[in-house]
Amino acid sequence: MFYESGLERWFVTRHADVRACLRDRRLGRNFRHVGSEDEFDAAEPLDPRRQAFWDSERWSLLWLEPPEHTRIRKLVAAAFTPRSVDALRGPCAELAQERFPGERFELLRDFAQPYSIAVICRLLGVPTDRGRDLLDWSHAMVKMYELDTTEAQAEAATAAAAEFRDYVVSLIEQRRLEPRDDLVTRLVEARVDGERLSDAQIVSTIIVLLNAGHEATVNTLGNGVLALLRHREQWERLVEGEVDAAAAVEELIRWDPPLQLFERWVLEEGVEIAGQPVPRGAKVALLFGAANRDPRVFEDPDAFDVGRANASEHIGFGGGIHVCIGAPLARIELEAALRTLFERGPKLELADEPLRNRAFVIWGLDRVEVCSSSATPTRLPSSSARAPSSSSARPSTT
Ligand code: HEM
């Protein structure tokens, strides 16, 4: 663990320490239920010009702390049940097959994004022709989670949040009149201990399900397929059936996680992390990428091994009360996508130098051109994907 004065944050790197922080109720994703902005070091007041964005976050599970978090999470879990997620196994396999683009394609634009949006549309019961809007809103809004968000990006995120809210409000009205077998209907109908979700809470929930789910899944596919194509022998293990796609997904998330860090505020006095006292009001960044390469947990941690026995001990889905509620869906979705890729394109290879995006927290690639060996690559890839510039490789406010 170390303190970075420029960023005014403590950085936690070891697997055991990150896990302990995730489970420590004296650390919270939000502090506004226990103190003012003056008491919390790096806190900035919420910009009133971005009200539509903050309204959309107001009831997001990622923004809440107990007791509100406990109440809303129970209601969302009542709608997003293991049974309803398991029912998506068949549709995920079909959607992945339908969207497999052919001999030469850009992995993210032509496959991962349309596939992931189609799965979310199926889950929510949204017509696929609105998929493009969902994608644009999601891309614009997640820019707010980076530290170096520009004014233009913040403005675009706010406009996207307002449009997204209006769309979800109209969906809620439609489902009240005409219930269907989809998540929006289940959220509208969810009841736990006599409580139900308000419209504002449903709007925030749907927005966080899309934004948290889509970007992480797409980036796992981008990072993971790149890792597989750069470690050809690991790809071959999948093609030959030596390792199951479900097992490989865990190593993909461990080795190059799509979410590099999440943050917590220290809500009480007397907290120690890794033996180091950390004062109330401090901000702590939990480095998932580092924890996933901790040699105390993973033998030869830098080796990429799709058959690694304990890969699922990764921190990729977090832990504690905010542990990823979409992890079962993510696993089903990624497994189906991966299986489609190596079954339909066993000879898949990089067709060009991949391009890394300029974000750090939501860690991924902008472009991964691939082709089956029957289509000739234009340029052979060199060493690794272009790294982000040092100014962009900065942690954020997730
Ligand atoms: C590979 C894909 C995914 C990864 C790596 C991932 C990772 C994470 C992590 C690390 C957290 C915890 C954040 C924290 O502790 O501060 C989280 C929370 C969450 N994830 Fe995921 N996620 C993925 C896919 C999904 C999907 C597919 C959905 C939904 C469709 C989803 C919905 C959520 C939600 C709603 C939360 C907030 C839970 C809460 O705060 O109680 N995620 N995710």
Side-chain angles (χ1 to χ4, degrees), residues 29 61 69 73 213 216 220 259 262 264 288 316-318 322 324:
R29 285 194 52 96
L61 285 171
H69 179 269
R73 181 141 177 158
T220 303
L259 299 165
F262 273 97
R264 294 292 187 267
F288 289 9
F317 289 119
H322 289 284
C324 180

Side-chain angles (χ1 to χ4, degrees), residues 230 350 352-354 379-385:
R230 287 234 159 104
L350 289 172
D352 204 346
E353 179 72 7
R379 254 192 297 149
L380 283 176
S382 58
S383 56
S384 60

